[in-house]
Amino acid sequence: MNNITKKSLILILVVLLIDQLLKIYIKTNYTYNQITFLLGLDWARLHFVENKGMAFGWEIDWTYGKLLLSLFRIVAISLLFVYIKQLIKEGFGFRLVSCFVLILAGAIGNMIDSAFYGLIFNESLFSEPAQWTIGNPDVSGYAGFLHGRVVDMFHFPIINGAAPDWMPFIGGEHVEFFKPIFNVADAAISIGVFNLIAFNFNYFKSHEEPKGTEETTTSQEEASE
């Protein structure tokens, strides 16, 4: 096992550990829709909600949408795993590999919720937190395998109010930014995608050049640094 493989595994484990510990804490200590203001700031909140769909609360409005999304996650995770192994084999550096590793870790984190949370927790209510089903025969899960809901908790509505009347299209309308509620796994995916686009231009350039050219070799060497 080379150094980049070790770093990648450690990064995945760290993301998953933080993601799952925080989700389990929120799930078992917060009632549904409960809000805590961080450091007393109105725009920095822990706000417990759950979603049946994709990152940042987006959903597929279809009867089999949840199952389709879970199966898509499994396929995506498998392909990412294979692709990361190939990148490491080809000698790309951790700066590039870590981007895909963060995306993989985030996908696994949300997949765990979808696959198992419906089995190991009962329904989260507005009146009381959820309970474990494990070791508690009087508590039953709220959904079957691959039909669990993803736990979200971070909410940062930095802008939250009415837009000035002089603004076109949205004048006088309520505006909230950042509206989506998300979790650590979502953040890992977003950071991975952002870093991939912003700091690994040479990686994309190398895949556009004809194979075997001097430019391709140079670009891959720079991406491997």
Side-chain angles (χ1 to χ4, degrees):
M1 183 183 297
N2 62 36
N3 191 44
I4 294 180
T5 302
K6 290 179 182 178
K7 288 181 178 179
S8 299
L9 291 175
I10 291 172
L11 182 57
I12 291 173
L13 290 175
V14 169
V15 171
L16 289 180
L17 183 63
I18 296 173
D19 178 62
Q20 289 301 310
L21 286 179
L22 183 55
K23 286 175 176 175
I24 291 171
Y25 173 79
I26 293 293
K27 182 75 174 171
T28 57
N29 287 275
Y30 276 54
T31 57
Y32 194 82
N33 209 38
Q34 181 177 339
I35 298 174
T36 298
F37 295 99
L38 301 174
L39 302 175
L41 300 173
D42 180 65
W43 55 267
R45 310 172 183 180
L46 287 179
H47 184 177
F48 172 39
V49 296
E50 294 176 302
N51 78 79
K52 296 181 289 184
M54 297 178 284
F56 300 103
W58 296 325
E59 297 187 11
I60 299 177
D61 188 16
W62 182 46
T63 304
Y64 298 101
K66 176 60 184 178
L67 180 60
L68 177 64
L69 180 60
S70 295
L71 294 176
F72 172 78
R73 282 194 179 117
I74 293 174
V75 173
I77 288 169
S78 301
L79 292 176
L80 274 170
F81 180 76
V82 172
Y83 190 62
I84 290 169
K85 285 186 64 177
Q86 186 63 30
L87 287 176
I88 295 174
K89 182 179 179 180
E90 292 180 6
F92 284 93
F94 188 67
R95 186 181 68 180
L96 172 65
V97 173
S98 64
C99 298
F100 291 99
V101 168
L102 284 170
I103 297 170
L104 174 63
I108 294 174
N110 285 334
M111 186 66 227
I112 291 173
D113 296 30
S114 297
F116 302 112
Y117 274 31
L119 299 172
I120 64 175
F121 294 113
N122 67 350
E123 190 77 35
S124 292
L125 304 174
F126 291 96
S127 57
E128 62 183 24
Q131 299 181 57
W132 291 91
T133 62
I134 301 173
N136 193 346
D138 298 325
V139 177
S140 57
Y142 68 83
F145 180 62
L146 294 180
H147 285 79
R149 295 189 288 270
V150 176
V151 175
D152 292 325
M153 76 291 294
F154 291 120
H155 188 199
F156 298 106
I158 298 174
I159 299 174
N160 189 13
D165 293 333
W166 55 264
M167 295 187 69
F169 305 112
I170 61 172
E173 300 290 331
H174 181 267
V175 177
E176 182 177 335
F177 180 83
F178 182 70
K179 186 175 183 179
I181 303 173
F182 60 99
N183 56 44
V184 172
D186 297 335
I189 294 172
S190 298
I191 293 171
V193 172
F194 175 81
N195 286 341
L196 182 62
I197 295 172
F199 303 115
N200 290 280
F201 175 76
N202 286 331
Y203 165 74
F204 294 103
K205 185 178 178 181
S206 70
H207 282 64
E208 293 173 358
E209 298 287 348
K211 289 185 178 181
T213 65
E214 182 178 350
E215 290 80 9
T216 299
T217 303
T218 303
S219 297
Q220 288 194 345
E221 289 176 351
E222 291 176 354
S224 302
E225 291 178 357

